């Protein structure tokens, strides 16, 4: 019967994540239909396992001691317990532990790096990205170039870039891919503040955490911003900025990056959905 309870636990877990909206903290909501369908799949498997368990209890009677001894030789209690714990742990941890929203503390802990946007992981599908969204690992070279040209055609035609939840990652990736194409173009977007030790008093990064496919390939994406005077802002405060795009040679990392010359800004509340997701055409 324990298998039945485990399957019931997974059914409730996926149901809970969808009803609370916490599923967006784990996956790109473009794929939410897959996790939603898992509710019904696990529910079906729970019913099947329940019927099988009841049938075994009524049909199987082990009166012979040697029979029982034979079963224990095939699979020890310790091995059974370890197998079940592997499945029980994600259910208990997901339901019992609070889901923390990613913030500047993660950026600080991982270390802020710009050149090459390198990561410590050798797995391109499980790497932490910084500043620039990079979906090139999911395409061949030619396919990725075609995709970027399509995105450039869309965003370069706009007289002013207004970034929102739907186009944030697409726009950021295009801006970093073709920074010279967006020089002097107006831009406005929301994000949280991050002060890095490499910036001066009038500079800070405005960032948002984004999920490309799932939380394993999530990253923190945004732009360096420069103000006319020192802004009195703390890490993780959310602001809306308006300004002009340009490029700057960022000496601490010996690389040229796009940045925003801020004209207007104001504080805002953290959005109900602080993450952004990569959409695909």
């Amino acid at each position: 019967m324990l298998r039945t309870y485990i399957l019931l636990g997974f059914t409730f877990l996926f149901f809970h994540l969808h009803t609370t909206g916490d599923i967006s903290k784990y996956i790109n909501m473009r794929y939410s239909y897959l996790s939603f369908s898992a509710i019904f799949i696990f529910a079906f498997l729970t019913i099947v396992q329940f019927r099988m368990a009841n049938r075994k209890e009524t049909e199987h009677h082990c009166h012979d001691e040697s029979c029982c001894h034979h079963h224990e030789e095939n699979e020890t209690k310790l091995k059974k317990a370890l197998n079940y714990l592997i499945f029980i742990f994600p259910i208990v941890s997901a339901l019992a532990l609070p889901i923390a929203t990613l913030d500047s503390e993660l950026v600080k802990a991982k270390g802020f790096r710009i050149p090459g946007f390198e990561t410590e992981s050798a797995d391109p599908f499980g790497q932490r990205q910084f500043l620039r969204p990079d979906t090139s690992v999911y395409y061949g070279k030619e396919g990725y170039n075609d995709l970027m040209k399509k995105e450039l055609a869309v965003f370069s035609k706009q007289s002013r870039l207004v970034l929102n939840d739907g186009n944030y990652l697409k726009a950021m990736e295009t801006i970093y891919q073709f920074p010279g194409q967006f020089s002097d173009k107006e831009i406005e977007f929301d994000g949280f503040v991050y002060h890095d030790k490499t910036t001066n008093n009038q500079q800070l990064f405005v960032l948002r955490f984004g999920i490309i496919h799932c939380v394993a390939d999530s990253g923190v994406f945004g732009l360096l911003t420069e103000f006319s005077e020192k802004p009195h802002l703390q890490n993780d405060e959310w602001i809306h900025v308006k300004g002009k795009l340009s490029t700057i040679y960022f000496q601490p990392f010996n690389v040229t990056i796009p940045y925003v010359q801020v004209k207007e800004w104001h504080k805002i509340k953290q959005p109900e959905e602080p993450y952004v997701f990569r959409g695909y055409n």
Side-chain angles (χ1 to χ4, degrees), residues 6 9-10 27-28 31 42 45-47 56 99 134 152 173-174 177 215 222 230 239 279:
I6 290 174
F10 276 108
I27 63 170
N28 188 328
Y31 308 111
F42 278 117
L45 293 176
T46 301
I47 295 171
K56 286 181 179 179
I99 299 175
D134 183 8
L152 176 62
E173 185 167 10
T174 308
Q177 188 74 11
V215 72
K230 180 181 178 180
I239 62 173

Side-chain angles (χ1 to χ4, degrees), residues 71-72 75-84:
H71 286 318
E72 288 193 5
E75 191 168 15
T76 65
K77 292 181 179 180
L78 178 60
K79 185 178 179 180
K80 279 186 178 181
L82 289 175
N83 288 338
Y84 287 136

Side-chain angles (χ1 to χ4, degrees), residues 94-133:
L95 294 175
L97 299 178
I99 299 175
T101 301
L102 301 177
D103 57 20
S104 65
E105 289 301 313
L106 179 62
V107 184
K108 189 183 300 182
K110 294 288 291 185
F112 200 73
R113 303 179 297 279
I114 296 179
F117 311 102
E118 71 274 20
T119 64
E120 296 175 1
S121 172
D123 179 8
F125 296 95
Q127 56 184 323
R128 183 75 65 189
Q129 298 185 20
F130 291 86
L131 284 186
R132 168 189 176 179

Side-chain angles (χ1 to χ4, degrees), residues 14 18 23-24 26-38 125 135 138-139 211-215 217 277-281:
F14 279 92
H18 275 274
I23 190 67
S24 65
Y26 295 99
I27 63 170
N28 188 328
M29 291 305 292
R30 178 183 175 85
Y31 308 111
S32 62
Y33 69 93
L34 294 173
S35 59
F36 185 74
S37 63
F125 296 95
T135 58
Y138 306 106
Y139 299 89
I211 296 177
I212 296 177
H213 286 100
C214 66
V215 72
D217 60 19
F277 305 94
R278 181 64 158 90
Y280 295 90
N281 296 328

Side-chain angles (χ1 to χ4, degrees), residues 191-223:
F192 66 86
V193 170
Y194 177 70
H195 291 277
D196 187 69
K197 61 182 180 181
T198 60
T199 57
N200 61 41
N201 289 335
Q202 294 174 235
Q203 295 176 334
L204 55 83
F205 289 95
V206 180
L207 310 167
R208 291 192 74 168
F209 276 95
I211 296 177
I212 296 177
H213 286 100
C214 66
V215 72
D217 60 19
S218 65
V220 58
F221 308 112
L223 292 163

